[in-house]
Amino acid sequence: MAFISTGYNPDKPMENRITDIGPKDHNEFYPPVIAKNKGKWSHHEILEPGVLVHVADSGDEVYTVRVGGARLMSTGLINEICEIADKHCDGYVRFTTRNNVEFMVDSKDKLEPLKNDLSGRKFAGGSFKFPIGGTGAGITNIVHTQGWIHCHTPATDASGTVKAAMDVLFNDFQDMRLPAQLRVSMACCLNMCGAVHCSDIAILGYHRKPPMLDHEYLDKVCEIPLAVSACPTAAIKPAKVQLANGKEVKSVDVKNERCMYCGNCYTMCPSMPLADTEGDGIVLMAGGKVSNRISDPKFSKVVVAFLPNEMPRWPSMTDTIQRMVEAYAKGANKYERLGDWADRIGWEKFFEVCELDFTHHLIDDFRQQAYMSWRQSTQFKF
């Protein structure tokens, strides 16, 4: 009767029950003008890069200023975001799925003071704390994974590569000169907790060597059955290994030709590290999208098979991405996403105009039943 001893009354199960555990109802966080006009909007438009207006049937207006944020923020920066929201937006602020921060005001008179305040806040080095942009036919904010700062399986850094890439793409974040929106994403390993499988341009960290084996400590810090079962390609098997001092220990053996360098084994067993200075680097992908517009959603394709990690600015990576963006800006039709442009001109021509080397390893021969069976596109006709 432990429940009764804690005060729980089975005859009155709701008595003294705490019911506000977990996230609160999202309806509590709407600005009043949005709560008032929810589901009753007439239209919206982009007034300038990073600035939108939504007009309700009632005539009410909401002006939104979108600024680029970061996936990893200090508490000091979050406090500053809250301070801006209190000052200009009655305390309301929202975050988008691409790490943008959006400040909303209910009057055009409040728009310019908000923009001026955001543009005037800079870091000690001179860069904008809250750069306005990321809307329309430009580069959206880069979504990325955790990288070296907070993950154990990355093949490259996330924050560093994204900072380097966004520095060379920043003008297009604050402009809308491109034919359509261009989404850039970053994942620091093949486990891909980023959206690189469906982005216009994607940065992917890539391991090229199988895990190293620390036989001396493996049985002490790992459960060998877990390490074996974690491998998706059955490349790991139990083994007995003789150390240099002649002692025989229980360990594992890796069949290198079956390894796909995913790092699952290292997640289960810290004595099987995968990180390697020469083996780790970057793959660039292109042509993916989630949108149904004009054509079906597309998977990204590998267009650069490997680039070395060149910390701290990754110049080979950023130069290649710049060439792809400029070729797209010059050659695509209006409203045409990067993958649609590449399909129209042909992928052979895409490699030529982007000045990318092509090898037979880049031929996309991936096929599965879902290619034919999914019925999730507006393009599908019975």
PDB file of all heavy atoms in Angstrom, residues 18 29-30 46 64 69 96-97 166 170 181 186 200 219 224 255 265 271 278 288 306 315 322 345-347:
ATOM      1  N   ILE A  18      -0.728  16.847  -9.096  1.00  0.00           N
ATOM      2  CA  ILE A  18      -0.031  17.908  -9.839  1.00  0.00           C
ATOM      3  C   ILE A  18      -0.268  17.674 -11.318  1.00  0.00           C
ATOM      4  O   ILE A  18       0.059  16.605 -11.850  1.00  0.00           O
ATOM      5  CB  ILE A  18       1.476  17.908  -9.528  1.00  0.00           C
ATOM      6  CG1 ILE A  18       1.699  18.122  -8.022  1.00  0.00           C
ATOM      7  CG2 ILE A  18       2.193  18.974 -10.328  1.00  0.00           C
ATOM      8  CD1 ILE A  18       3.142  17.962  -7.602  1.00  0.00           C
ATOM      9  N   PHE A  29       1.097  31.101 -25.318  1.00  0.00           N
ATOM     10  CA  PHE A  29       2.260  31.894 -25.695  1.00  0.00           C
ATOM     11  C   PHE A  29       2.040  32.744 -26.942  1.00  0.00           C
ATOM     12  O   PHE A  29       2.970  33.369 -27.426  1.00  0.00           O
ATOM     13  CB  PHE A  29       3.462  30.957 -25.910  1.00  0.00           C
ATOM     14  CG  PHE A  29       3.820  30.166 -24.684  1.00  0.00           C
ATOM     15  CD1 PHE A  29       3.384  28.866 -24.522  1.00  0.00           C
ATOM     16  CD2 PHE A  29       4.573  30.743 -23.681  1.00  0.00           C
ATOM     17  CE1 PHE A  29       3.697  28.145 -23.388  1.00  0.00           C
ATOM     18  CE2 PHE A  29       4.898  30.027 -22.547  1.00  0.00           C
ATOM     19  CZ  PHE A  29       4.458  28.725 -22.395  1.00  0.00           C
ATOM     20  N   TYR A  30       0.820  32.745 -27.471  1.00  0.00           N
ATOM     21  CA  TYR A  30       0.553  33.595 -28.631  1.00  0.00           C
ATOM     22  C   TYR A  30       0.518  35.065 -28.230  1.00  0.00           C
ATOM     23  O   TYR A  30      -0.096  35.411 -27.211  1.00  0.00           O
ATOM     24  CB  TYR A  30      -0.805  33.254 -29.251  1.00  0.00           C
ATOM     25  CG  TYR A  30      -0.853  31.955 -30.008  1.00  0.00           C
ATOM     26  CD1 TYR A  30      -1.902  31.062 -29.804  1.00  0.00           C
ATOM     27  CD2 TYR A  30       0.119  31.621 -30.945  1.00  0.00           C
ATOM     28  CE1 TYR A  30      -1.974  29.870 -30.499  1.00  0.00           C
ATOM     29  CE2 TYR A  30       0.066  30.439 -31.639  1.00  0.00           C
ATOM     30  CZ  TYR A  30      -0.981  29.568 -31.416  1.00  0.00           C
ATOM     31  OH  TYR A  30      -1.052  28.388 -32.099  1.00  0.00           O
ATOM     32  N   ILE A  46       6.574  39.377 -47.870  1.00  0.00           N
ATOM     33  CA  ILE A  46       7.913  39.718 -47.377  1.00  0.00           C
ATOM     34  C   ILE A  46       8.195  41.161 -47.815  1.00  0.00           C
ATOM     35  O   ILE A  46       8.289  41.458 -49.015  1.00  0.00           O
ATOM     36  CB  ILE A  46       8.979  38.757 -47.946  1.00  0.00           C
ATOM     37  CG1 ILE A  46       8.641  37.318 -47.564  1.00  0.00           C
ATOM     38  CG2 ILE A  46      10.371  39.135 -47.443  1.00  0.00           C
ATOM     39  CD1 ILE A  46       9.526  36.277 -48.240  1.00  0.00           C
ATOM     40  N   THR A  64       6.849  40.791 -38.495  1.00  0.00           N
ATOM     41  CA  THR A  64       7.831  39.854 -37.953  1.00  0.00           C
ATOM     42  C   THR A  64       9.217  40.208 -38.463  1.00  0.00           C
ATOM     43  O   THR A  64       9.407  40.401 -39.668  1.00  0.00           O
ATOM     44  CB  THR A  64       7.494  38.409 -38.367  1.00  0.00           C
ATOM     45  OG1 THR A  64       6.189  38.078 -37.903  1.00  0.00           O
ATOM     46  CG2 THR A  64       8.506  37.430 -37.787  1.00  0.00           C
ATOM     47  N   GLY A  69      19.889  32.949 -35.643  1.00  0.00           N
ATOM     48  CA  GLY A  69      20.359  32.547 -34.329  1.00  0.00           C
ATOM     49  C   GLY A  69      21.386  31.441 -34.455  1.00  0.00           C
ATOM     50  O   GLY A  69      21.909  31.172 -35.535  1.00  0.00           O
ATOM     51  N   THR A  96      12.421  29.483 -34.658  1.00  0.00           N
ATOM     52  CA  THR A  96      12.019  28.641 -35.781  1.00  0.00           C
ATOM     53  C   THR A  96      12.827  27.351 -35.775  1.00  0.00           C
ATOM     54  O   THR A  96      13.812  27.205 -35.050  1.00  0.00           O
ATOM     55  CB  THR A  96      12.230  29.359 -37.129  1.00  0.00           C
ATOM     56  OG1 THR A  96      13.633  29.367 -37.450  1.00  0.00           O
ATOM     57  CG2 THR A  96      11.712  30.786 -37.079  1.00  0.00           C
ATOM     58  N   THR A  97      12.424  26.411 -36.617  1.00  0.00           N
ATOM     59  CA  THR A  97      13.111  25.129 -36.684  1.00  0.00           C
ATOM     60  C   THR A  97      14.497  25.238 -37.308  1.00  0.00           C
ATOM     61  O   THR A  97      15.277  24.290 -37.236  1.00  0.00           O
ATOM     62  CB  THR A  97      12.283  24.108 -37.492  1.00  0.00           C
ATOM     63  OG1 THR A  97      12.007  24.655 -38.779  1.00  0.00           O
ATOM     64  CG2 THR A  97      10.988  23.791 -36.770  1.00  0.00           C
ATOM     65  N   MET A 166      28.804  30.126 -43.325  1.00  0.00           N
ATOM     66  CA  MET A 166      27.871  31.259 -43.262  1.00  0.00           C
ATOM     67  C   MET A 166      28.589  32.586 -43.453  1.00  0.00           C
ATOM     68  O   MET A 166      27.989  33.555 -43.934  1.00  0.00           O
ATOM     69  CB  MET A 166      27.114  31.242 -41.935  1.00  0.00           C
ATOM     70  CG  MET A 166      25.754  31.895 -42.001  1.00  0.00           C
ATOM     71  SD  MET A 166      24.661  31.026 -43.144  1.00  0.00           S
ATOM     72  CE  MET A 166      23.362  32.228 -43.373  1.00  0.00           C
ATOM     73  N   PHE A 170      26.982  35.030 -46.134  1.00  0.00           N
ATOM     74  CA  PHE A 170      26.202  35.962 -45.316  1.00  0.00           C
ATOM     75  C   PHE A 170      25.447  36.991 -46.150  1.00  0.00           C
ATOM     76  O   PHE A 170      24.309  37.344 -45.839  1.00  0.00           O
ATOM     77  CB  PHE A 170      27.118  36.666 -44.319  1.00  0.00           C
ATOM     78  CG  PHE A 170      26.379  37.592 -43.385  1.00  0.00           C
ATOM     79  CD1 PHE A 170      25.494  37.087 -42.446  1.00  0.00           C
ATOM     80  CD2 PHE A 170      26.538  38.968 -43.473  1.00  0.00           C
ATOM     81  CE1 PHE A 170      24.794  37.935 -41.596  1.00  0.00           C
ATOM     82  CE2 PHE A 170      25.848  39.820 -42.631  1.00  0.00           C
ATOM     83  CZ  PHE A 170      24.974  39.308 -41.683  1.00  0.00           C
ATOM     84  N   GLN A 181      14.555  30.006 -52.608  1.00  0.00           N
ATOM     85  CA  GLN A 181      15.256  29.794 -51.343  1.00  0.00           C
ATOM     86  C   GLN A 181      16.299  28.697 -51.509  1.00  0.00           C
ATOM     87  O   GLN A 181      16.118  27.762 -52.297  1.00  0.00           O
ATOM     88  CB  GLN A 181      14.275  29.430 -50.248  1.00  0.00           C
ATOM     89  CG  GLN A 181      13.605  28.082 -50.426  1.00  0.00           C
ATOM     90  CD  GLN A 181      12.739  27.734 -49.234  1.00  0.00           C
ATOM     91  OE1 GLN A 181      12.551  28.523 -48.327  1.00  0.00           O
ATOM     92  NE2 GLN A 181      12.185  26.532 -49.243  1.00  0.00           N
ATOM     93  N   MET A 186      23.928  20.941 -42.223  1.00  0.00           N
ATOM     94  CA  MET A 186      25.206  20.342 -41.851  1.00  0.00           C
ATOM     95  C   MET A 186      24.998  19.201 -40.863  1.00  0.00           C
ATOM     96  O   MET A 186      24.265  19.338 -39.888  1.00  0.00           O
ATOM     97  CB  MET A 186      26.100  21.430 -41.220  1.00  0.00           C
ATOM     98  CG  MET A 186      27.546  21.056 -41.041  1.00  0.00           C
ATOM     99  SD  MET A 186      27.845  20.047 -39.590  1.00  0.00           S
ATOM    100  CE  MET A 186      29.369  19.257 -40.065  1.00  0.00           C
ATOM    101  N   ASP A 200      19.302  21.691 -50.237  1.00  0.00           N
ATOM    102  CA  ASP A 200      19.863  22.156 -51.508  1.00  0.00           C
ATOM    103  C   ASP A 200      21.375  21.953 -51.536  1.00  0.00           C
ATOM    104  O   ASP A 200      21.929  21.482 -52.524  1.00  0.00           O
ATOM    105  CB  ASP A 200      19.532  23.643 -51.715  1.00  0.00           C
ATOM    106  CG  ASP A 200      18.047  23.873 -51.882  1.00  0.00           C
ATOM    107  OD1 ASP A 200      17.522  23.571 -52.971  1.00  0.00           O
ATOM    108  OD2 ASP A 200      17.405  24.331 -50.924  1.00  0.00           O
ATOM    109  N   ASP A 219      37.333  -5.160 -22.608  1.00  0.00           N
ATOM    110  CA  ASP A 219      36.457  -6.001 -21.792  1.00  0.00           C
ATOM    111  C   ASP A 219      36.163  -5.363 -20.435  1.00  0.00           C
ATOM    112  O   ASP A 219      35.203  -5.750 -19.766  1.00  0.00           O
ATOM    113  CB  ASP A 219      37.098  -7.378 -21.598  1.00  0.00           C
ATOM    114  CG  ASP A 219      36.123  -8.373 -20.998  1.00  0.00           C
ATOM    115  OD1 ASP A 219      34.920  -8.242 -21.285  1.00  0.00           O
ATOM    116  OD2 ASP A 219      36.542  -9.242 -20.219  1.00  0.00           O
ATOM    117  N   ILE A 224      30.713  -6.667 -24.339  1.00  0.00           N
ATOM    118  CA  ILE A 224      31.027  -7.127 -25.688  1.00  0.00           C
ATOM    119  C   ILE A 224      29.776  -7.494 -26.498  1.00  0.00           C
ATOM    120  O   ILE A 224      29.674  -7.126 -27.673  1.00  0.00           O
ATOM    121  CB  ILE A 224      32.042  -8.286 -25.635  1.00  0.00           C
ATOM    122  CG1 ILE A 224      33.406  -7.737 -25.187  1.00  0.00           C
ATOM    123  CG2 ILE A 224      32.166  -8.991 -26.992  1.00  0.00           C
ATOM    124  CD1 ILE A 224      34.488  -8.777 -25.005  1.00  0.00           C
ATOM    125  N   LYS A 255      35.650  -6.841 -39.095  1.00  0.00           N
ATOM    126  CA  LYS A 255      35.846  -7.168 -40.507  1.00  0.00           C
ATOM    127  C   LYS A 255      35.771  -5.867 -41.295  1.00  0.00           C
ATOM    128  O   LYS A 255      34.691  -5.335 -41.582  1.00  0.00           O
ATOM    129  CB  LYS A 255      34.762  -8.149 -40.977  1.00  0.00           C
ATOM    130  CG  LYS A 255      35.056  -8.793 -42.319  1.00  0.00           C
ATOM    131  CD  LYS A 255      34.054  -9.900 -42.612  1.00  0.00           C
ATOM    132  CE  LYS A 255      34.424 -10.618 -43.905  1.00  0.00           C
ATOM    133  NZ  LYS A 255      33.480 -11.731 -44.185  1.00  0.00           N
ATOM    134  N   CYS A 265      29.294   1.365 -32.861  1.00  0.00           N
ATOM    135  CA  CYS A 265      30.049   0.546 -31.915  1.00  0.00           C
ATOM    136  C   CYS A 265      30.694   1.407 -30.833  1.00  0.00           C
ATOM    137  O   CYS A 265      30.747   1.033 -29.662  1.00  0.00           O
ATOM    138  CB  CYS A 265      31.108  -0.273 -32.653  1.00  0.00           C
ATOM    139  SG  CYS A 265      32.209   0.702 -33.708  1.00  0.00           S
ATOM    140  N   SER A 271      36.013   1.818 -26.026  1.00  0.00           N
ATOM    141  CA  SER A 271      37.309   1.291 -26.448  1.00  0.00           C
ATOM    142  C   SER A 271      37.363   1.002 -27.942  1.00  0.00           C
ATOM    143  O   SER A 271      38.275   0.323 -28.414  1.00  0.00           O
ATOM    144  CB  SER A 271      37.636   0.011 -25.662  1.00  0.00           C
ATOM    145  OG  SER A 271      37.987   0.318 -24.334  1.00  0.00           O
ATOM    146  N   GLU A 278      43.506  11.799 -40.356  1.00  0.00           N
ATOM    147  CA  GLU A 278      43.581  11.649 -41.812  1.00  0.00           C
ATOM    148  C   GLU A 278      42.312  11.049 -42.400  1.00  0.00           C
ATOM    149  O   GLU A 278      41.927  11.374 -43.522  1.00  0.00           O
ATOM    150  CB  GLU A 278      44.783  10.773 -42.176  1.00  0.00           C
ATOM    151  CG  GLU A 278      46.127  11.398 -41.838  1.00  0.00           C
ATOM    152  CD  GLU A 278      47.283  10.483 -42.215  1.00  0.00           C
ATOM    153  OE1 GLU A 278      47.010   9.331 -42.646  1.00  0.00           O
ATOM    154  OE2 GLU A 278      48.443  10.901 -42.080  1.00  0.00           O
ATOM    155  N   GLY A 288      18.842  18.279 -52.817  1.00  0.00           N
ATOM    156  CA  GLY A 288      17.705  17.761 -52.068  1.00  0.00           C
ATOM    157  C   GLY A 288      16.686  18.840 -51.757  1.00  0.00           C
ATOM    158  O   GLY A 288      16.963  20.032 -51.828  1.00  0.00           O
ATOM    159  N   PHE A 306      35.083  13.833 -51.004  1.00  0.00           N
ATOM    160  CA  PHE A 306      35.853  14.010 -49.772  1.00  0.00           C
ATOM    161  C   PHE A 306      36.652  15.301 -49.826  1.00  0.00           C
ATOM    162  O   PHE A 306      37.268  15.639 -50.836  1.00  0.00           O
ATOM    163  CB  PHE A 306      36.825  12.835 -49.565  1.00  0.00           C
ATOM    164  CG  PHE A 306      37.494  12.859 -48.212  1.00  0.00           C
ATOM    165  CD1 PHE A 306      36.827  12.403 -47.078  1.00  0.00           C
ATOM    166  CD2 PHE A 306      38.784  13.352 -48.059  1.00  0.00           C
ATOM    167  CE1 PHE A 306      37.431  12.433 -45.833  1.00  0.00           C
ATOM    168  CE2 PHE A 306      39.399  13.388 -46.821  1.00  0.00           C
ATOM    169  CZ  PHE A 306      38.718  12.922 -45.700  1.00  0.00           C
ATOM    170  N   PRO A 315      38.829  26.221 -45.902  1.00  0.00           N
ATOM    171  CA  PRO A 315      38.781  26.991 -47.161  1.00  0.00           C
ATOM    172  C   PRO A 315      38.344  26.191 -48.378  1.00  0.00           C
ATOM    173  O   PRO A 315      37.630  26.714 -49.243  1.00  0.00           O
ATOM    174  CB  PRO A 315      40.224  27.500 -47.314  1.00  0.00           C
ATOM    175  CG  PRO A 315      41.058  26.595 -46.456  1.00  0.00           C
ATOM    176  CD  PRO A 315      40.185  26.194 -45.319  1.00  0.00           C
ATOM    177  N   GLN A 322      30.737  28.162 -52.386  1.00  0.00           N
ATOM    178  CA  GLN A 322      30.554  29.442 -53.073  1.00  0.00           C
ATOM    179  C   GLN A 322      30.381  29.257 -54.572  1.00  0.00           C
ATOM    180  O   GLN A 322      29.527  29.904 -55.199  1.00  0.00           O
ATOM    181  CB  GLN A 322      31.755  30.351 -52.804  1.00  0.00           C
ATOM    182  CG  GLN A 322      31.578  31.270 -51.600  1.00  0.00           C
ATOM    183  CD  GLN A 322      32.661  32.315 -51.537  1.00  0.00           C
ATOM    184  OE1 GLN A 322      33.840  31.986 -51.430  1.00  0.00           O
ATOM    185  NE2 GLN A 322      32.277  33.571 -51.592  1.00  0.00           N
ATOM    186  N   ILE A 345      19.276  21.029 -66.461  1.00  0.00           N
ATOM    187  CA  ILE A 345      20.467  21.175 -67.308  1.00  0.00           C
ATOM    188  C   ILE A 345      21.239  19.863 -67.425  1.00  0.00           C
ATOM    189  O   ILE A 345      22.125  19.732 -68.281  1.00  0.00           O
ATOM    190  CB  ILE A 345      21.407  22.280 -66.773  1.00  0.00           C
ATOM    191  CG1 ILE A 345      22.012  21.890 -65.421  1.00  0.00           C
ATOM    192  CG2 ILE A 345      20.678  23.621 -66.700  1.00  0.00           C
ATOM    193  CD1 ILE A 345      23.072  22.871 -64.921  1.00  0.00           C
ATOM    194  N   GLY A 346      20.909  18.895 -66.561  1.00  0.00           N
ATOM    195  CA  GLY A 346      21.643  17.629 -66.545  1.00  0.00           C
ATOM    196  C   GLY A 346      22.760  17.682 -65.520  1.00  0.00           C
ATOM    197  O   GLY A 346      23.469  18.694 -65.407  1.00  0.00           O
ATOM    198  N   TRP A 347      22.909  16.590 -64.787  1.00  0.00           N
ATOM    199  CA  TRP A 347      23.913  16.594 -63.724  1.00  0.00           C
ATOM    200  C   TRP A 347      25.332  16.667 -64.273  1.00  0.00           C
ATOM    201  O   TRP A 347      26.243  17.181 -63.607  1.00  0.00           O
ATOM    202  CB  TRP A 347      23.727  15.368 -62.830  1.00  0.00           C
ATOM    203  CG  TRP A 347      22.588  15.574 -61.876  1.00  0.00           C
ATOM    204  CD1 TRP A 347      21.283  15.259 -62.065  1.00  0.00           C
ATOM    205  CD2 TRP A 347      22.665  16.205 -60.590  1.00  0.00           C
ATOM    206  NE1 TRP A 347      20.525  15.648 -60.982  1.00  0.00           N
ATOM    207  CE2 TRP A 347      21.348  16.224 -60.049  1.00  0.00           C
ATOM    208  CE3 TRP A 347      23.705  16.750 -59.841  1.00  0.00           C
ATOM    209  CZ2 TRP A 347      21.054  16.771 -58.808  1.00  0.00           C
ATOM    210  CZ3 TRP A 347      23.415  17.281 -58.588  1.00  0.00           C
ATOM    211  CH2 TRP A 347      22.106  17.300 -58.091  1.00  0.00           C
TER     212      TRP A 347
END
